[in-house]
Amino acid sequence: MTERNFSFSIFFTLLGLGVGTGLLFTGVLSSPQRLQFLYQPRGLGILFGGLSLCFFIGVSSTTRRHLSTLLLDLLTDSAEPNKQGAFNECVMLATRTREAQGQELKLYREIKPYLQHETLRLGLDFLIAAYPEDLIKETLAHHREKRLLIYRQCAEAAQFLGRASLGLGVGAAAMGALRAHLMLSPDTLSFYMAGIGLPLGLGCILYAVVFLPFQQKMRYLEADWARYENLNMMGVLLLQGRHHSHYVETILRAYLPHEAQHKTPVRPMAAPAAQADSRADSQVSPVAASPLSPANESSYTQDTFEVNGQTLGSDLSSGDFRS
């Protein structure tokens, strides 16, 4: 998951939730002529007590923990994966791999701690260990399914709780109707009718505004994370094949969102490795920024780069990596 961002995005998210919840409660409270009709402990107890039992009995503890984590990620706008960052790191690795002149393993060991994406770091471990392509693909596919299973289980839990809210609302309304039939009197008819409609209406509202949207969001995140994991997997396989960075960029751009595909510029063709030293002599001094940033593309061909205050250097002709 991406880093939690407490900025304007979470402000507008909380603002929308607050306004929607306020309007919802205003509509519920203004429905009866007298507010005491909303005091229906029997119907509300059946509805919310039944939901609590369904949540703790029908949902595993692992899924409950994932639900709480994903809810916090949704509120902080950090639930979606950073596909653009993974794309930039794959292109950067492809560029530096062609300049390593047979010292790719040392390059991977040096740069792996600075990568921000777990699947890409795992793939570099497989490349360092010289795993075959089929084994790398199978292992990364299992890693992808393990991550997607979290969102699939959360979507199923939301679907289960939504159906339970509808069933409990109908059950509470049926109990209210039975009680009204047994104790029917003209003076208490309005109170008993409120006891029928309140739990049924709340059950439908919970399903419509809580469980159904959460279920749809989990399905969207499952598909989005699948594209992200496929991007990382394809990037690792392209690195194993030592393809040109321009070719890697062209292939991986298909995994980006449509708007990002037009915003991402096509990088020029990288120079042959034999010209790396002459190009490095003609360029400016290294900048104090991460080599993983696309803004520092020119630093990929330099002999030194600085990441998080630590300077890394490389002599590509001799294979000597120093820090």
Side-chain angles (χ1 to χ4, degrees):
M1 300 176 183
T2 58
E3 184 180 357
R4 292 191 176 96
N5 180 21
F6 295 90
S7 59
F8 286 103
S9 58
I10 182 177
F11 171 75
F12 286 111
T13 299
L14 296 178
L15 179 63
L17 290 175
V19 172
T21 305
L23 292 175
L24 179 62
F25 276 104
T26 301
V28 172
L29 294 177
S30 60
S31 296
Q33 297 179 354
R34 291 181 292 178
L35 291 180
Q36 60 266 29
F37 287 161
L38 295 177
Y39 181 71
Q40 302 290 338
R42 296 177 180 84
L44 297 179
I46 293 174
L47 177 61
F48 292 106
L51 281 177
S52 300
L53 288 176
C54 292
F55 182 72
F56 287 101
I57 296 177
V59 180
S60 64
S61 59
T62 304
T63 305
R64 292 198 300 267
R65 185 168 60 251
H66 291 322
L67 282 171
S68 60
T69 304
L70 287 174
L71 182 60
L72 180 60
D73 290 336
L74 289 174
L75 294 177
T76 54
D77 196 27
S78 57
E80 297 182 4
N82 184 11
K83 295 188 289 295
Q84 183 66 51
F87 171 84
N88 294 336
E89 288 187 357
C90 290
V91 174
M92 179 273 302
L93 286 172
T95 303
R96 295 198 64 88
T97 298
R98 287 181 59 85
E99 300 169 355
Q101 296 183 352
Q103 301 296 326
E104 293 87 356
L105 299 183
K106 290 185 178 180
L107 172 66
Y108 294 156
R109 292 190 185 98
E110 288 283 343
I111 210 167
K112 185 173 74 72
Y114 302 99
L115 299 178
Q116 302 297 322
H117 302 272
E118 178 185 359
T119 306
L120 197 55
R121 292 196 301 268
L122 182 61
L124 287 188
D125 288 334
F126 296 152
L127 295 182
I128 294 173
Y131 282 12
E133 179 181 354
D134 294 339
L135 183 58
I136 293 177
K137 186 182 300 185
E138 182 181 359
T139 306
L140 292 181
H142 284 299
H143 178 77
R144 177 192 59 193
E145 292 302 319
K146 182 179 178 181
R147 181 183 292 274
L148 297 182
L149 182 62
I150 296 175
Y151 298 95
R152 195 174 302 119
Q153 289 176 343
C154 291
E156 292 175 355
Q159 183 181 16
F160 166 70
L161 292 175
R163 293 175 177 176
S165 66
L166 292 177
L168 290 169
V170 173
M175 295 295 293
L178 178 62
R179 185 167 177 266
H181 177 73
L182 295 177
M183 305 178 62
L184 183 60
S185 64
D187 298 333
T188 58
L189 179 61
S190 300
F191 183 78
Y192 288 139
M193 291 301 296
I196 297 174
L198 182 62
L200 180 59
L202 286 180
C204 296
I205 290 175
L206 286 176
Y207 176 75
V209 304
V210 177
F211 299 117
L212 184 60
F214 190 82
Q215 177 186 350
Q216 293 299 116
K217 185 65 175 181
M218 289 300 102
R219 290 178 176 174
Y220 166 76
L221 289 176
E222 180 184 355
D224 201 26
W225 276 95
R227 289 190 293 270
Y228 167 80
E229 294 292 342
N230 290 334
L231 186 151
N232 284 278
M233 184 188 306
M234 181 59 67
V236 172
L237 296 177
L238 292 174
L239 288 175
Q240 187 186 34
R242 293 177 173 83
H243 292 283
H244 197 280
S245 60
H246 185 76
Y247 178 77
V248 173
E249 183 179 8
T250 304
I251 296 299
L252 296 185
R253 190 182 290 113
Y255 295 93
L256 297 178
H258 181 71
E259 58 274 8
Q261 295 181 16
H262 298 283
K263 293 180 181 179
T264 304
V266 178
R267 291 181 174 84
M269 299 288 288
Q275 302 178 5
D277 295 335
S278 60
R279 290 184 58 191
D281 294 337
S282 63
Q283 290 179 348
V284 297
S285 60
V287 294
S290 170
L292 311 183
S293 173
N296 300 323
E297 179 189 352
S298 61
S299 66
Y300 296 161
T301 59
Q302 296 171 357
D303 291 338
T304 61
F305 54 87
E306 185 173 340
V307 180
N308 298 332
Q310 181 180 2
T311 302
L312 302 177
S314 63
D315 185 359
L316 300 180
S317 60
S318 63
D320 178 23
F321 286 80
R322 59 190 182 277
S323 61

